[in-house]
Amino acid sequence: MSPVRAASAEDLSEIRALLESAGLPTGDLPSAQPEFVAVREGGALVAAGALQRFGTSALLRSMAVSAGHRGQGLGDAIVLALERAAREARVERLILLTETAGPFFARHGYQVIERSEAPVELQASEEFRSLCPSSAICMAKQLA
Ligand SMILES: CC(C)(COP(=O)(O)OP(=O)(O)OC[C@H]1O[C@@H](n2cnc3c(N)ncnc32)[C@H](O)[C@@H]1OP(=O)(O)O)[C@@H](O)C(=O)NCCC(=O)NCCS
């Protein structure tokens, strides 16, 4: 059974700490309110990822596995859980920005696109406009 669960409000401070330790931006979490899933092991929050929806598209964002728990399939489990949640919400296209995990997402069928090819609502998001460096690549996957 998947260890991935929908995150609760009580998980948010630990999620924020996990993202910060992975070098991912957290500045827009209060305003963007992405929908998180997370994994706990032995009481500690060890993996998380989120969807930020924009109609039939969504940003797959804020995904991290704690350094001591990488390479055990948790990243894969988070991606699969987020894609399942996206399909249930009738999201047709997932977009993400990443600096270092391009090959990880390519294994899941994500393809590199120009930022300008992303839906305009996503381009207007804080993550796109100011938080993720311009060196981050943009990737997309069609779900529907
Ligand atoms: C990217 C990340 C989430 C992967 O998590 P993980 O739990 O280690 O991933 P998994 O164990 O599920 O890995 C599954 C497979 O992907 C591979 N993989 C993991 N990270 C990879 C990477 N950065 N590049 C290429 N392949 C990668 C693994 O080797 C494994 O392959 P295998 O099944 O053939 O052995 C994790 O490295 C991380 O938190 N990175 C820092 C934050 C980040 O970059 N987030 C993404 C931007 S939102």
Side-chain angles (χ1 to χ4, degrees):
M1 208 171 73
S2 170
V4 185
R5 299 277 175 269
S8 66
E10 293 78 57
D11 295 325
L12 275 179
S13 60
E14 279 176 88
I15 289 175
R16 178 182 285 269
L18 173 65
L19 298 178
E20 285 169 359
S21 70
L24 297 180
T26 57
D28 69 331
L29 292 181
S31 56
Q33 301 211 335
E35 301 160 71
F36 276 99
V37 296
V39 177
R40 279 191 180 277
E41 254 182 45
L45 196 140
V46 297
L51 290 180
Q52 185 176 346
R53 282 195 263 160
F54 297 85
T56 57
S57 298
L59 202 50
L60 190 164
R61 60 168 289 174
S62 302
M63 192 181 140
V65 175
S66 73
H69 291 79
R70 290 183 191 165
Q72 301 172 20
L74 291 178
D76 279 351
I78 294 275
V79 171
L80 293 178
L82 291 175
E83 290 183 350
R84 192 179 321 121
R87 286 193 175 92
E88 282 170 9
R90 300 195 187 288
V91 168
E92 295 171 5
R93 194 170 182 227
L94 289 176
I95 309 282
L96 62 87
L97 293 169
T98 182
E99 280 192 272
T100 58
F104 169 81
F105 287 110
R107 290 172 63 260
H108 286 277
Y110 291 78
Q111 295 181 329
V112 176
I113 62 168
E114 296 292 331
R115 282 187 183 221
S116 58
E117 292 176 71
V120 284
E121 314 90 88
L122 270 80
Q123 290 184 47
S125 69
E126 186 122 355
E127 165 133 335
F128 256 75
R129 281 191 294 114
S130 50
L131 297 178
C132 270
S134 54
S135 56
I137 56 167
C138 185
M139 301 180 85
K141 180 173 176 177
Q142 197 70 28
L143 296 178

